[in-house]
Structures are given as C-alpha cells and as structure tokens.
Amino acid sequence: MTPKEAQQKLRKRLADIERVRNSDVPRIIREEALNHYEQSFQVEGKIDDTVQPWPEVKRRDPKSPWYGFSLGATSPRPGSKKTGKKTNFSPTRAQDKILTGETNELKNSLTGTIKPDRVTISSDKPYSRVHNFGGKAYIFGKKEFTMKARQFIYPSALLNRNIREKIVQTLKQKNLL
C-alpha cells in the first residue's frame, strides 16, 4: 500500500467514525438513558452499582391517613363501615409502585431530545421537577408540604458504562475498531 492509499483509507475510516459519532452515538445515548430511567420506575429507586430506593410514600403506609388514597374511589377503607360513598380509598393504590400513579403518566412522559451537541432527557409534566428534586408542593393546590426527592433522572456511572459498551459494540459491528 502506498502512502497515498494509506492516507485515503485513513480519511475514509475517520469519516465513517464521524458519521457514527454524529448519528449513532446520540441515538444510543437517548435509548440507553430512556431505558435506564424507565427501569428506575420498576425498581422504585436510583440505579447505579446498587439500587438506592426512593423514600416510601404515605399511600402505602396503613398508619397514614393517605393510605390507599385515590380521588373518587369508593372502596371502604380497612376497618371502616362506610360503603357506597366516596371514601377515596383504593386497595390497589395502597400497593401501586412509587411515582407510577394510576396511569404511569410520569414514566411515559420521559423523552430524549437530540441536538448537535447534546442529548437531553426530560419530562413535560409540570410536577416532574418537584418529584425529581423534592421541594415545596401543594395538596390539592392548597396545603403546602415538602415533598422528598425521588430522582428518576440522575447521573449514573452504570448508565455511562452501558452507553460506552453500546458505542464500542456499534464501532465493532461497523468494523471501525
């Protein structure tokens, strides 16, 4: 191989790597991050080398007045004699996973936006910030309380390792490594 041929081959390989960096890498980052953060909802905590469980919720604590709370539910609360009236108790809500609600709306709202210089994972739900970082919130928009953080978007060494592995795998599949 002549020096000129080697130079052309190197230019082609660099152009192929550049294409992977500009198109495949952002897609890999978005997919891996969304999968990672969606798993947090399944395990109810931050996932890294270990799972850091989210703080428990009052609707799963039988001693809490919020136990099994579901607006408009009509099931009698355990130990209650009320039937047929709105009791706001739902046995399933007393067992539901943290942050999933009755609709999985928060988990399903996660999106990944690709821009030339970054990938952004976010939620368009107005309550997502207070759930993720904690802070002042309002019960029925009236009574203020401090919500504990239950991070579902967070830095993770495990996620970074998974992203790197997927990028290396892609480069190998394209014979660029």
Side-chain angles (χ1 to χ4, degrees):
M1 175 182 308
T2 67
K4 188 174 185 175
E5 290 170 334
Q7 211 172 27
Q8 288 173 336
K9 190 173 183 175
L10 183 58
R11 277 195 193 106
K12 183 188 178 323
R13 181 176 225 106
L14 289 172
D16 290 343
I17 291 170
E18 185 76 11
R19 271 191 291 282
V20 168
R21 182 182 72 100
N22 291 334
S23 65
D24 292 345
V25 169
R27 180 187 49 75
I28 289 167
I29 292 170
R30 181 186 63 206
E31 288 174 9
E32 289 297 311
L34 288 172
N35 288 337
H36 182 85
Y37 296 136
E38 286 173 3
Q39 285 177 3
S40 290
F41 287 86
Q42 295 304 313
V43 301
E44 300 179 289
K46 288 171 58 175
I47 305 168
D48 213 348
D49 293 326
T50 61
V51 174
Q52 299 166 24
W54 290 329
E56 190 54 68
V57 290
K58 293 186 183 214
R59 69 173 158 72
R60 296 196 319 196
D61 177 1
K63 296 175 186 163
S64 168
W66 293 99
Y67 179 62
F69 182 82
S70 178
L71 191 61
T74 56
S75 298
R77 187 175 164 132
S80 170
K81 294 186 168 93
K82 290 184 184 178
T83 56
K85 295 181 180 178
K86 284 190 178 180
T87 62
N88 294 332
F89 176 79
S90 166
T92 57
R93 286 298 287 148
Q95 305 301 317
D96 283 348
K97 289 186 175 285
I98 298 170
L99 293 188
T100 60
E102 296 170 282
T103 62
N104 285 311
E105 194 174 79
L106 183 58
K107 180 180 90 170
N108 294 338
S109 74
L110 296 180
T111 59
T113 305
I114 296 173
K115 294 191 177 174
D117 60 339
R118 76 179 59 97
V119 175
T120 304
I121 306 299
S122 63
S123 166
D124 63 353
K125 297 300 171 194
Y127 50 84
S128 63
R129 183 170 185 75
V130 74
H131 280 293
N132 199 56
F133 298 109
K136 300 292 180 205
Y138 298 89
I139 299 171
F140 301 117
K142 297 176 184 172
K143 185 179 177 197
E144 185 177 274
F145 72 104
T146 301
M147 183 177 289
K148 294 177 182 175
R150 294 178 176 94
Q151 286 192 298
F152 55 91
I153 299 175
Y154 50 88
S156 168
L158 175 63
L159 172 59
N160 291 339
R161 283 194 304 273
N162 290 343
I163 289 169
R164 270 193 299 278
E165 287 173 14
K166 197 73 150 207
I167 291 168
V168 167
Q169 181 183 13
T170 300
L171 289 169
K172 284 180 179 176
Q173 285 173 346
K174 296 183 183 232
N175 294 317
L176 296 171
L177 263 187

